[in-house]
Amino acid sequence: MNFLLNEAIELLERTPRTLESLLSGLSDRWLHCNEGEGTWNVIEVVEHLIEGEKHNWVPRLDMILREGEDKPFPPFDRFSHLHSESRSTIEQSLQAFKQIRFQNLDFVKERIQPELHLELAGTHPEFGPVKVRELLSTWVVHDLTHMTQIVRVMAKSYSSDVGPWKAYLGILKHT
């Protein structure tokens, strides 16, 4: 088992600042590029991260602490951010993400004691029993997945412009 709560928190704390540094102030072309029909642009990824903060990670942690495996988590709509058009600027979205992320991390720091809680389980509507450790690990990998997605989408917007160097740019090899 590789999971350590303090290391997970280290990464989860950095995600909002990393995204803010990368995305704040960029032109609309960077923020609206995607990988084709049915894929997300940068803004949609950030909105998805906000929805996860509101309805996924900490609500499910809290439910495990209160209910255990007795009551399944409500389903999380991973696509809910696509159902309405955002009117927020990227800066507003990044600020909202940072604010809710730090509130959620305060909850984790206050309520999760590794020696007592990491092996507690709740019931996922699709997977069945899941442990606190698994949920927290998934939260970290989810952040890394979407940061990778953002960078990949942005890189691919220049895919046809890099010429022969494409052969050396691993991020473009699966286009």
Side-chain angles (χ1 to χ4, degrees), residues 21-39:
S21 179
L22 178 64
L23 304 174
S24 186
L26 287 181
S27 67
D28 282 347
R29 281 190 39 173
W30 284 119
L31 301 175
H32 291 283
C33 61
N34 63 37
E35 296 175 284
E37 189 169 334
T39 65

Side-chain angles (χ1 to χ4, degrees), residues 8-23 45-46 49 53 94 97-98 101-102 105 139-148 150:
I9 290 171
E10 286 174 2
L11 189 119
L12 293 169
E13 286 176 334
R14 282 165 173 74
T15 301
R17 289 186 286 258
T18 300
L19 292 178
E20 185 175 45
S21 179
L22 178 64
L23 304 174
V45 174
V46 173
L49 291 168
E53 294 297 313
L94 291 166
F97 175 58
K98 182 167 43 175
R101 169 59 62 88
F102 285 113
L105 289 175
W139 191 6
V140 170
V141 175
H142 182 265
D143 270 21
L144 293 169
T145 297
H146 286 299
M147 286 191 287
T148 301
I150 287 169

Side-chain angles (χ1 to χ4, degrees), residues 62-114:
D62 187 46
M63 198 165 174
I64 291 171
L65 296 176
R66 288 184 296 104
E67 307 282 344
E69 293 181 63
D70 294 338
K71 186 176 176 186
F73 304 146
F76 172 64
D77 181 357
R78 296 178 304 147
F79 305 100
S80 64
H81 65 287
L82 301 175
H83 302 311
S84 61
E85 188 175 326
S86 175
R87 305 230 185 271
S88 300
T89 66
I90 190 65
E91 285 77 13
Q92 291 167 328
S93 294
L94 291 166
Q95 184 60 36
F97 175 58
K98 182 167 43 175
Q99 181 178 4
I100 193 166
R101 169 59 62 88
F102 285 113
Q103 289 171 355
N104 285 344
L105 289 175
D106 285 345
F107 175 92
V108 171
K109 291 172 188 176
E110 291 168 10
R111 300 282 309 277
I112 304 298
Q113 298 173 33

Side-chain angles (χ1 to χ4, degrees), residues 129-146:
V130 293
K131 296 177 181 181
V132 167
R133 172 181 45 82
E134 294 168 330
L135 180 64
L136 291 169
S137 296
T138 301
W139 191 6
V140 170
V141 175
H142 182 265
D143 270 21
L144 293 169
T145 297
H146 286 299

